[in-house]
Amino acid sequence: MKMRRVLLLGWLAAFANVSACSPPRQSSAVPRSTTTETAQSKSGTVVTIKESILQYANQEYTIVDRQPSVFGLKNAAVQRDINRRLVSLVQARIANFANMPPETDPVFFSGGRKWSQEIRYYPVLISPSIISLYFVETLDEGGTHPNETTFSFSYSILDHSELTLSDLVSSGHLGMMSEVVIARLIGNLKASKEDDPTREKWIRQGASPQPAHYKTFAIGADGLHFYFDPYQVAPHSEGIQEILIDPHSIKDALNSIGQRLLLTNIGRQEQY
């Protein structure tokens, strides 16, 4: 356990210092870089998302994580801030995985099975004014199936700051937004002809107005996207649940920043 932690955390430190160019000699990490998404504004500004694919493996576990970085912004300081935050976001997840107790059950390792972590990201909006991505972390920790959790990153280039939901929704108005989300989730459930009171109760609990229930959101050109982990509002078999909300339907819940970013700028963004 100690050796595993030392090797992987040493690799993480090296990644932070050299931007995933060369892992420590004792590590089998193999980062490589690819360009994945590009956006061009009407003014000609080109914003590019590049990813470094981080791979690490030993006898206990494997890691395949995708680290996004942003290039092409006119403000170099803002670009550095975004990339520093993105690196910290992904590295924190890797470090948390590295610190989990090792698996000792020999049955778990039968057939070559290992603990594993995979992090994928999905650009929702890339523009010269807003960067918004959501991430899916898949962990195999020895259960009957791997589990998925979501997290996200949104940054207002206009304001030079990372965005949390509290930056967009007025204090005390989460309940108003939650009602809209719950109605949409229940509407989707009924549209699928699965009118189950137990499922409705599940939705009302998992989407109740608690900040932790709305931890994963992204800003898109088409509105505000919310992502719910498996088991939160639906069975694992139905996967991650995504709900798109028209910001005009929750305009009374938005604060001044939320109204400016979601109501006035939303139609002028490039979406991916």
Side-chain angles (χ1 to χ4, degrees):
M1 173 62 178
K2 184 176 180 181
M3 179 59 68
R4 180 177 85 166
R5 187 180 304 175
V6 167
L7 288 177
L8 184 53
L9 295 184
W11 168 51
L12 291 175
F15 173 75
N17 290 331
V18 300
S19 302
C21 291
S22 57
R25 183 171 299 175
Q26 70 268 30
S27 168
S28 59
V30 185
R32 62 183 188 272
S33 180
T34 59
T35 300
T36 56
E37 302 285 350
T38 300
Q40 182 169 350
S41 69
K42 292 180 180 178
S43 63
T45 301
V46 177
V47 181
T48 300
I49 296 283
K50 293 184 179 180
E51 71 176 23
S52 296
I53 302 176
L54 314 176
Q55 295 179 302
Y56 183 92
N58 64 12
Q59 292 181 342
E60 294 177 357
Y61 63 90
T62 60
I63 290 175
V64 180
D65 293 336
R66 298 173 185 274
Q67 172 69 63
S69 299
V70 177
F71 296 89
L73 297 181
K74 291 182 177 179
N75 190 319
V78 169
Q79 180 170 293
R80 286 194 299 270
D81 186 43
I82 292 173
N83 289 333
R84 177 184 60 81
R85 292 171 184 269
L86 286 170
V87 167
S88 296
L89 184 66
V90 173
Q91 283 192 12
R93 295 277 173 159
I94 298 174
N96 185 61
F97 176 75
N99 286 328
M100 290 191 300
E103 177 59 59
T104 57
D105 183 358
V107 176
F108 178 84
F109 292 108
S110 62
R113 186 180 183 186
K114 300 179 181 181
W115 276 24
S116 65
Q117 179 195 52
E118 180 182 4
I119 294 177
R120 309 181 305 280
Y121 69 90
Y122 302 90
V124 179
L125 185 63
I126 309 170
S127 80
S129 55
I130 294 176
I131 301 291
S132 195
L133 310 94
Y134 94 95
F135 296 76
V136 177
E137 178 182 21
T138 304
L139 293 177
D140 186 349
E141 303 169 298
T144 55
H145 52 70
N147 290 314
E148 292 184 321
T149 57
T150 61
F151 58 104
S152 58
F153 176 84
S154 293
Y155 193 99
S156 172
I157 300 170
L158 300 173
D159 300 296
H160 299 183
S161 63
E162 186 174 351
L163 296 170
T164 65
L165 192 59
S166 62
D167 294 320
L168 305 174
V169 177
S170 299
S171 176
H173 287 72
L174 184 58
M176 184 186 302
M177 188 194 72
S178 172
E179 290 177 3
V180 175
V181 173
I182 288 172
R184 180 65 58 83
L185 286 166
I186 292 176
N188 291 349
L189 178 66
K190 291 182 176 180
S192 67
K193 299 182 179 180
E194 188 176 346
D195 193 2
D196 183 350
T198 302
R199 288 287 302 276
E200 286 194 23
K201 182 179 179 180
W202 195 345
I203 289 171
R204 293 186 185 279
Q205 290 178 340
S208 62
Q210 299 181 36
H213 292 166
Y214 292 89
K215 65 181 178 61
T216 307
F217 74 93
I219 299 170
D222 50 355
L224 199 55
H225 298 248
F226 291 100
Y227 304 90
F228 297 95
D229 295 349
Y231 297 119
Q232 185 175 344
V233 297
H236 181 275
S237 60
E238 295 186 14
I240 295 167
Q241 299 296 298
E242 177 182 0
I243 291 295
L244 172 62
I245 298 298
D246 181 348
H248 290 88
S249 69
I250 57 169
K251 63 180 181 179
D252 292 336
L254 300 176
N255 59 26
S256 59
I257 296 176
Q259 291 180 8
R260 173 167 54 83
L261 292 177
L262 298 176
L263 299 181
T264 61
N265 282 346
I266 202 73
R268 295 197 294 271
Q269 308 299 339
E270 294 85 358
Q271 185 193 23
Y272 281 76

